[in-house]
Amino acid sequence: MPTSVSLDVNGRVVTVEVDDPGMPLLYALRDNLQLKGPRFGCGLGQCGTCAVLLDDEPVLACEISLTKAANKKVVTLEGLGSPEKPSPVQQAFIDEQAAQCGYCLNGMIIHATALLAKTMNPTIPEIKKALADDLCRCGTHLRIIRAVQRAARRA
Amino acid sequence: MLDFVSTRRDVLRTGGALVVAFTFADAALPALAESSSSRKTVESDEVDGFLSIDADGRVTVYSGKVDLGTGLRTALTQIAAEELDVSLDRVGLIQGDTELTPDQGPTWASLSIQIGGMRIRQAAATARKALVEMAAARLGVLATELRIEDGLIKGGDKSISYAELVGGGSFSLKIDKDVPVKDPTSYTIAGKSVPRLDIPSKVTGRFTYMQDFRIEGMLHGRVIRPLAIGARLESVDETSLNGIPGLIKVVREGNFLGVVATTEWGAIQATRKLKATWSNWEGLPEQARLWDYVRATKINSDKVTANVGDSTKALRDAPKHISATYDFAIHTHGSIGPSCAVVEINQGKITCWSASQGTHRLRRQLAAMMDVPLDNVHCLFIEGSGCYGRNGHEDAAGDAALLSRAVGGKPVRVQWMRADEHGWDPKGPPILVDLRAGVNDEGGIIAWESEFFVPGDGLAPMSLVAATLAAVPPTPITEPYRYGNPDIMTTNSAIPYTFPNIKTVAHLLAETPFRWSWVRSPGRLQNAFANECFVDELAAFVGADPLDFRLSHLNDPRGAELLRRLASLAKWEQRRSPRKSHQNDVVAGRGISYAKDFPSPTYVGAVADIEVDRRSGEIRVQRFFVVHDCGQVINPDGVRNQIEGNIIQTLSRTLKEELLFDRSAVTSLHWATYPILTFPEVPDVIIELVDRPTAKPSGAGEPAAAVVPAAVSNAVFDALGVRLRSVPFTPAKVLAAIESSARRPSREL
């Protein structure tokens, strides 16, 4: 039986029709709302690529059900900025050329954004700790750390 | 928007050729839209195979080599823009589309710039020469008096643009291999650190990866793999899926099992709930006896990769001997985004979108598997999660083809789950190396012998999982030509050093436990690991400084220069290893490693600074110094990015990675059981690029990987005086090596 769930995503209230309101938020964002920022990486909460901000806190969209996300503010990578107007963290990633395949960057940028919202000038160990659960297979870590440092300086 | 045109309307407008184009200006190029009735040539000896110029003067480059996350798109765009004398924002790139791009072989072996890019350079230079000649005739000015500014050819007070000369038309010219190319010292685009074209859209969630690709009417497929690799599907209880919303079909062909549903979540739930029974199968070797298995594997043939003097006699005569065996674990390819593909079949024509690194080859495989003529298959590349050489993208395409056929050809997207990827992606093969050397009374190395146990025929296509499970009779794939060395796994087995007697032999094995991957620097990495550690063993044996020892046996000025620059970069202090022992719990060490990495060759050397905790066995790598010489550099920052990636990814493989399996299947099915390096563990990487603008470019995507494991192993030896000869260097292996060393006389290595 299809169910309607109301979501607040990137500042817009939208309704999605789903068969199972227990479905992870990730699939509603990707399939119902056609968003591409939150990515499927493992579906097990192990890699970080699906991260979104939920009421300003980073959560893994593969682990949280649609029901639990309803009535909370969801912000995805798209909601932070656009190619024309990137957020300070996104701009710092561009400036540092902090990407190889870039598939993991959603988790990196969401977690870095959450870190910088709370910690003005994080040390390198603090940055590493904040991103410790975000996996990158290409080995872009050093550029990502530099990008977060750059974003912190700019903030 | 940096994105591709992907609606049905566009498919129709371009006569079936879905155009995937990227440009600096973030506009999808309407390439070929006006010429939909005639097929574009994909001949690799034709200028038109690689280039077109439209009526607005915009250039489209057609590349058979594809960007696997390396930044290749940007570098190829730079090469074409430079050679054609147009600005970067006039150039778009289409990659890996079997109806538009020439077959340049798969994207492998770090050949994309040195082979693929140089072909594009020749095509562009041929086009440029032809354009200048046309302009000379049209303007009535001598060709030698013409100059080009951003696609405008000027002479005296006259000018004519590329668009006016050929806009929308074709060149109909063979590529001239001997055509004069621009003097690299005049470059303004190539050789510069141009920002990558894809990053703004990647960091803002606008980039369309393969995993994001959607088309109208698309259904969602998932596969259910056998519980044991060779198991037989005995029964399927479809009633177990009663009540799954949107379920369309359970698809069974032989041992291939999948589901198709209208929604992705429906398909996932179906795979979780479907009850199927499988036969037992225990055909894998016992993991604890893996190296016995490798040693006992049938050898198809031997390849002697170096033979100097008479090593047998020299070893027999040598007063002192040293020998060692090295092994390198099986690795999962482990892309962060599991493999994904979409296939639709319309009136017998198969269209396949995937992140395949070899779409022309995949096309041949799909035609064989689906038993249709080659002309009925069209494969298009869409960039996916990072691929380091043969992951599961082609297999996902095979899965999608079977599922699409089962639902009347409707488009089906197959997204592998994490366990599908870890369980069934191709694996870096296990490699075993025996080495021995003879030393004379003066401490001179008089003989070096080595034997490498490696898989044979490294370039052959890997059978698609779907074809194997569905028991499709194998159809030989006829490849029009082969690229590179089929004995790819033997590369770097010969050594770059001069000893009077050398024999290096690769035993090409008939089989390896799992379908195997070319995961970054295949063979080259494992072979260089053994060689560079054993060279270090010899240096220690004769009491020489490890850097001096290498230099004194190197008859290659370019390599010697690289090592001297490395010594300077790392502030190398001359001394023998191990350093003076002290009894601290945490001991520092520094190790060096060098490779003239074939087939490029790219010269690369590294110094690793590490600490090892003798109580826990934990190795912490603090920094890597790397000097890298890949000849002409197209995009220096792109090369640095690749070097950093090579070091960190290979350090992950060196310290942590090992596939786990039982007699039936892979058991390390996710990141908790197959951990990789995380942020707190990454070292600093300090890089010096040797730029040789007038030299030929060689590879940068893999060579720096080759020096990583040996640099770490040699650093551990420097710290503790114990040798790590088995990758990964887990704490347990470090502790075992310490204990074993304590039980043996110190002089015995």
Side-chain angles (χ1 to χ4, degrees), chain A residues 20 24 27 30-31 36 39 41 46 77-78 81 90 97 99-103 131 137-138 142-143 146, chain B residues 69 196 202-203 206 208-209 211-212 214 264-265 332-333 386 388 418 637 641 644-645 649 657 671:
Chain A
D20 171 15
Y27 299 103
R30 290 182 55 77
D31 293 335
K36 298 185 284 192
R39 325 207 57 78
Q46 294 178 342
L77 193 60
E78 290 93 336
Q90 290 168 328
Q97 292 288 290
Q100 288 186 54
C101 83
Y103 196 89
L131 300 178
R137 185 62 165 156
C138 295
L142 297 171
R143 284 165 184 253
R146 292 200 288 271
Chain B
R196 265 176 55 172
K202 283 182 172 175
V203 299
R206 267 63 170 190
T208 301
Y209 290 92
Q211 285 84 350
D212 303 314
R214 305 281 189 273
E264 185 164 26
W265 184 238
T332 277
H333 189 105
Y388 318 97
R418 174 48 55 196
D637 189 61
N641 203 348
E644 289 174 19
Q649 186 186 68
E657 296 183 29
W671 297 116

Side-chain angles (χ1 to χ4, degrees), chain A residues 1 19-20 22-24 27 30-31 34-44 46-47 49 77-79 81-87 90-91 93-94 96-106 108-109 127-129 131-146, chain B residues 3 68-69 194-196 198-209 211-212 214 220 245 263-265 268-269 332-338 383-386 388 413 415-418 520 637 640-642 644-645 648-649 652 657 670-672 674 676-680 682-685:
Chain A
M1 177 74 79
D19 295 313
D20 171 15
M23 175 174 90
Y27 299 103
R30 290 182 55 77
D31 293 335
Q34 312 284 308
L35 291 168
K36 298 185 284 192
R39 325 207 57 78
F40 173 71
C42 67
L44 303 165
Q46 294 178 342
C47 73
T49 59
L77 193 60
E78 290 93 336
S82 63
E84 297 73 33
K85 201 178 172 193
S87 76
Q90 290 168 328
Q91 183 62 52
F93 273 67
I94 297 169
E96 290 292 339
Q97 292 288 290
Q100 288 186 54
C101 83
Y103 196 89
C104 68
L105 289 182
N106 175 67
M108 305 295 175
I109 292 170
I127 295 170
K128 288 181 171 180
K129 191 175 166 210
L131 300 178
D133 294 330
D134 291 293
L135 299 182
C136 167
R137 185 62 165 156
C138 295
T140 318
H141 304 70
L142 297 171
R143 284 165 184 253
I144 292 168
I145 294 167
R146 292 200 288 271
Chain B
D3 207 341
L68 302 175
V194 166
R196 265 176 55 172
D198 51 344
I199 293 181
S201 65
K202 283 182 172 175
V203 299
T204 52
R206 267 63 170 190
F207 190 86
T208 301
Y209 290 92
Q211 285 84 350
D212 303 314
R214 305 281 189 273
H220 291 272
T263 66
E264 185 164 26
W265 184 238
I268 293 169
Q269 286 176 304
T332 277
H333 189 105
S335 292
I336 287 290
E383 188 176 330
S385 175
Y388 318 97
R413 170 180 185 261
Q415 167 72 69
W416 279 11
M417 301 303 283
R418 174 48 55 196
R520 212 161 202 165
D637 189 61
R640 287 173 178 275
N641 203 348
Q642 285 303 293
E644 289 174 19
I648 291 171
Q649 186 186 68
S652 176
E657 296 183 29
H670 48 64
W671 297 116
Y674 190 90
I676 61 173
L677 208 69
T678 61
F679 272 92
V682 298
D684 287 337
V685 180

Side-chain angles (χ1 to χ4, degrees), chain B residues 239-443:
Chain B
T239 63
S240 59
L241 296 189
N242 287 347
I244 297 278
L247 178 72
I248 289 179
K249 195 165 186 179
V250 176
V251 180
R252 178 181 177 178
E253 281 194 44
N255 299 316
F256 176 85
L257 186 59
V259 293
V260 180
T262 53
T263 66
E264 185 164 26
W265 184 238
I268 293 169
Q269 286 176 304
T271 60
R272 289 178 181 168
K273 292 190 177 156
L274 184 62
K275 284 189 182 150
T277 54
W278 303 87
S279 67
N280 289 327
W281 177 86
E282 295 193 330
L284 290 174
E286 192 183 334
Q287 177 150 27
R289 300 171 62 87
L290 176 64
W291 301 113
D292 296 338
Y293 165 87
V294 171
R295 206 175 274 288
T297 302
K298 179 175 174 255
I299 294 168
N300 272 348
S301 63
D302 277 349
K303 181 174 178 179
V304 177
T305 54
N307 195 359
V308 178
D310 184 345
S311 63
T312 310
K313 179 177 185 305
L315 268 182
R316 198 171 54 229
D317 295 347
K320 295 181 210 162
H321 296 91
I322 171 172
S323 64
T325 293
Y326 283 79
D327 63 63
F328 198 104
I330 303 175
H331 285 165
T332 277
H333 189 105
S335 292
I336 287 290
S339 300
C340 181
V342 174
V343 168
E344 76 169 335
I345 308 171
N346 190 2
Q347 296 178 334
K349 274 213 73 167
I350 296 170
T351 306
C352 169
W353 294 268
S354 77
S356 168
Q357 71 196 95
T359 46
H360 280 279
R361 172 179 274 204
L362 175 62
R363 179 181 182 228
R364 292 188 276 273
Q365 287 193 282
L366 287 179
M369 184 181 87
M370 303 291 279
D371 196 20
V372 298
L374 191 59
D375 278 349
N376 283 16
V377 185
H378 179 195
C379 291
L380 300 97
F381 170 81
I382 298 177
E383 188 176 330
S385 175
C387 166
Y388 318 97
R390 195 145 75 185
N391 58 5
H393 287 305
E394 288 82 9
D395 295 305
D399 295 334
L402 289 190
L403 293 182
S404 173
R405 185 168 68 185
V407 295
K410 291 194 177 105
V412 175
R413 170 180 185 261
V414 170
Q415 167 72 69
W416 279 11
M417 301 303 283
R418 174 48 55 196
D420 299 328
E421 188 77 19
H422 267 54
W424 291 80
D425 72 0
K427 308 299 177 195
I431 289 177
L432 185 69
V433 186
D434 292 329
L435 303 111
R436 50 197 168 264
V439 184
N440 67 17
D441 288 326
E442 291 74 45

